[in-house]
Amino acid sequence: MTRLLAIVLVAVVGLAGCSNAGVSGKMTGDYKQDTLTVVEELRTAINVAPDDPEKGTAEVNARNIINDYFSYYRRDNAIDGLSSFATLRTALNGLAGHYSSYPNRPIPEKLKKRLEQEFKQVEAALKRGA
């Protein structure tokens, strides 16, 4: 009985580890769609009011989707050269850096403006196919 339980556990963990959706469950493998999903999720996260009870949840969701996106696309050489990826990587690094360095502080307006500008650049680059 113990061996059967061990085999079932290994199978469950193995199959769960094969999922490409990541922790957030939002990665599909379609670069353009995943990038737009990340942009929309992060727009939502950065615009949550500092006193909103959902702020903590939004931050956790943002961290998860950033990690999933990087994990999924970081090593893809075909995508690494795209301007949309480079610009989004800059935005994600800035936001992740804020979350790591200042976890209890609201996102400064200056950073919000820069992120929004970079999100618009990413969307324009995706429309161009870059």
Side-chain angles (χ1 to χ4, degrees):
M1 189 62 144
T2 312
R3 287 183 184 180
L4 179 61
L5 181 60
I7 290 172
V8 170
L9 278 173
V10 167
V12 168
V13 170
L15 291 174
C18 292
S19 171
N20 288 331
V23 175
S24 69
K26 306 227 173 164
M27 295 296 110
T28 64
D30 177 3
Y31 170 72
K32 184 176 181 179
Q33 185 57 48
D34 288 348
T35 302
L36 291 173
T37 299
V38 169
V39 167
E40 287 307 312
E41 289 284 325
L42 295 182
R43 270 192 180 126
T44 301
I46 65 174
N47 289 315
V48 173
D51 57 344
D52 191 326
E54 295 297 316
K55 181 183 181 296
T57 304
E59 183 177 323
V60 168
N61 291 341
R63 286 176 181 237
N64 287 339
I65 203 164
I66 289 169
N67 290 335
D68 289 348
Y69 187 79
F70 276 146
S71 296
Y72 201 88
Y73 291 108
R74 174 181 36 217
R75 294 188 178 142
D76 190 335
N77 292 333
I79 292 171
D80 192 35
L82 297 176
S83 63
S84 59
F85 182 74
T87 305
L88 187 57
R89 182 175 49 210
T90 301
L92 297 180
N93 284 335
L95 185 57
H98 173 78
Y99 284 151
S100 294
S101 299
Y102 309 105
N104 297 324
R105 293 187 184 174
I107 299 170
E109 285 302 315
K110 185 176 179 180
L111 178 57
K112 283 183 184 181
K113 281 183 180 181
R114 191 188 94 201
L115 290 171
E116 185 56 41
Q117 180 183 16
E118 289 170 342
F119 292 159
K120 287 178 183 177
Q121 290 172 352
V122 167
E123 290 169 332
L126 286 173
K127 286 181 184 175
R128 291 191 319 265

